[in-house]
Amino acid sequence: MFTSTSETCTLRFNITAVRGEPFYLKYCSLAPEPKNETAAVRWYKSSGSHGRIELNSSSFPRISLYDHVLEFWPVELEDSGSYFFHMGNNTREWKLNVIGKSKHRCFAEKLLFSKPVEVQKSLRVKCINTHYEKLANRTSLYKNCQEIENNKNAVLLKKAEFEDQGYYTCVYFIPHNGKLFHVTKTYNITVVGDRSKITPVLLGPKLNYVKVELGKDVKLNCSALANEKDAFYWNVWEENGKEPNVHEENITRIRTPDGKLYASRILRIENINEKNLNFSYNCSVASEGGTDIISFVLLKKEGMVDIP
């Protein structure tokens, strides 16, 4: 979406809307084009095997058409599909997916705008909708579906605390043809701890012996307390290169409510053979603040009695 002459134009091909709320599509040309007073604006919806159906307000009472705008009052699940704007030589297509709100919630969990904020830094939520705010007779801000009291102009501005975390929903109350409609936009606010760099550290013993059976598979899990951009990897190369049955999986990251970042990375060894035994598989995490290493050694089960 982008703003042009105080209106919001719909540029994305795939669009998601919430069932039961007003919704619109607007065509804007990105390049200057000559005026054509005689060119008619037409809107169509694809009806599958039956081709395109031209849209008009008389046949579709929930639809309003004016200028380059197609409005739904409101949009419903059966409105999902492909829509086409046509004027002279100009055409544009959108694919609309209409979803329902989550059960027992005032918003759709599949349509959230994520916004992480660092604790004690500025938390700002401002309700802006250039298309609907001029039609709304009231705008309110809700947290976890409860209206925020003493909130003026639907704006929240404060220093972030951990308890501020939650779902913030802007609700526009819009009268239309004798009915009151609601347009919503929900932010998922997460409050994280101080993101100042820490010295990364791997979790667990520095040396780990793992009992295995030949021909079986094993997964070695390496976990670390680290920074977002720290290097985190397995050193699996021997003198003759890497064994073909050794595979390093992707990094998994989890941030706790107090802002700490934990990362884990699994090394998967399939169909264990003699070459995999008695070799030190090292896991490392490194940053400007330092490096930490832990090692895993595979031993046959019957060989464990020889460990001092």
Side-chain angles (χ1 to χ4, degrees):
M1 312 284 278
F2 83 104
T3 301
S4 174
T5 62
S6 76
E7 286 283 354
T8 304
C9 302
T10 315
L11 291 183
R12 289 172 292 129
F13 173 72
N14 290 294
I15 309 293
T16 301
V18 180
R19 179 185 64 182
E21 296 189 2
F23 176 77
Y24 75 97
L25 295 171
K26 181 177 180 181
Y27 168 78
C28 292
S29 175
L30 295 180
E33 53 187 49
K35 286 188 177 182
N36 187 345
E37 302 291 345
T38 62
V41 173
R42 300 184 186 277
W43 288 87
Y44 300 89
K45 180 184 178 183
S46 174
S47 58
S49 59
H50 300 288
R52 300 180 184 180
I53 298 176
E54 184 172 355
L55 302 174
N56 58 71
S57 299
S58 57
S59 300
F60 301 90
R62 288 185 293 104
I63 285 179
S64 297
L65 301 169
Y66 64 93
D67 295 332
H68 297 171
V69 179
L70 167 66
E71 288 188 333
F72 298 84
W73 294 92
V75 68
E76 299 292 352
L77 293 178
E78 61 265 27
D79 295 323
S80 294
S82 295
Y83 290 82
F84 302 85
F85 169 90
H86 180 78
M87 183 185 69
N89 294 325
N90 296 316
T91 60
R92 180 65 57 84
E93 178 186 0
W94 297 270
K95 188 173 183 181
L96 176 62
N97 178 38
V98 182
I99 61 175
K101 291 181 180 178
S102 306
K103 191 175 182 180
H104 307 306
R105 292 188 183 271
C106 62
F107 56 85
E109 290 185 345
K110 294 181 179 180
L111 190 60
L112 298 173
F113 298 85
S114 296
K115 188 175 182 180
V117 181
E118 191 172 336
V119 67
Q120 292 301 310
K121 296 295 178 67
S122 177
L123 169 60
R124 185 173 186 266
V125 179
K126 185 176 183 180
C127 296
I128 299 176
N129 187 311
T130 56
H131 186 83
Y132 287 115
E133 64 186 18
K134 63 180 179 293
L135 303 176
N137 59 13
R138 184 166 69 92
T139 303
S140 296
L141 182 60
Y142 290 69
K143 178 184 178 183
N144 298 331
C145 296
Q146 297 292 323
E147 187 170 6
I148 299 176
E149 297 181 0
N150 303 319
N151 183 260
K152 296 181 179 179
N153 303 319
V155 176
L156 176 67
L157 181 61
K158 66 185 298 291
K159 281 188 177 182
E161 304 290 346
F162 286 117
E163 57 267 25
D164 293 323
Q165 186 163 289
Y167 298 99
Y168 291 79
T169 303
C170 297
V171 181
Y172 302 87
F173 298 85
I174 304 171
H176 180 77
N177 288 343
K179 296 182 179 180
L180 185 64
F181 295 91
H182 305 88
V183 173
T184 64
K185 182 174 182 178
T186 301
Y187 300 90
N188 179 14
I189 304 295
T190 55
V191 181
V192 300
D194 188 350
R195 292 180 177 174
S196 300
K197 286 187 176 294
I198 63 169
T199 300
V201 60
L202 293 166
L203 307 179
K206 296 302 180 185
L207 179 59
N208 302 269
Y209 291 104
V210 182
K211 296 183 292 183
V212 297
E213 295 182 36
L214 295 180
K216 300 290 186 178
D217 299 344
V218 67
K219 289 184 177 180
L220 306 178
N221 184 21
C222 182
S223 299
L225 176 61
N227 301 293
E228 185 75 35
K229 296 183 179 181
D230 285 350
F232 186 34
Y233 58 92
W234 284 90
N235 185 355
V236 295
W237 294 89
E238 304 184 49
E239 291 183 2
N240 297 325
K242 176 184 172 185
E243 292 296 329
N245 64 334
V246 178
H247 307 282
E248 186 179 20
E249 298 188 357
N250 292 331
I251 299 174
T252 300
R253 292 185 173 91
I254 298 174
R255 192 175 291 279
T256 62
D258 61 356
K260 293 181 180 179
L261 181 66
Y262 288 91
S264 64
R265 194 160 201 171
I266 289 176
L267 186 70
R268 188 176 74 256
I269 305 175
E270 301 174 341
N271 192 19
I272 298 169
N273 58 58
E274 293 284 350
K275 292 182 179 180
N276 302 126
L277 301 178
N278 301 305
F279 174 76
S280 181
Y281 293 98
N282 296 327
C283 178
S284 302
V285 61
S287 73
E288 296 176 357
T291 302
D292 197 18
I293 300 174
I294 63 173
S295 302
F296 293 79
V297 178
L298 304 188
L299 297 175
K300 286 198 296 186
K301 285 188 177 180
E302 61 269 24
M304 289 299 292
V305 295
D306 298 327
I307 299 174

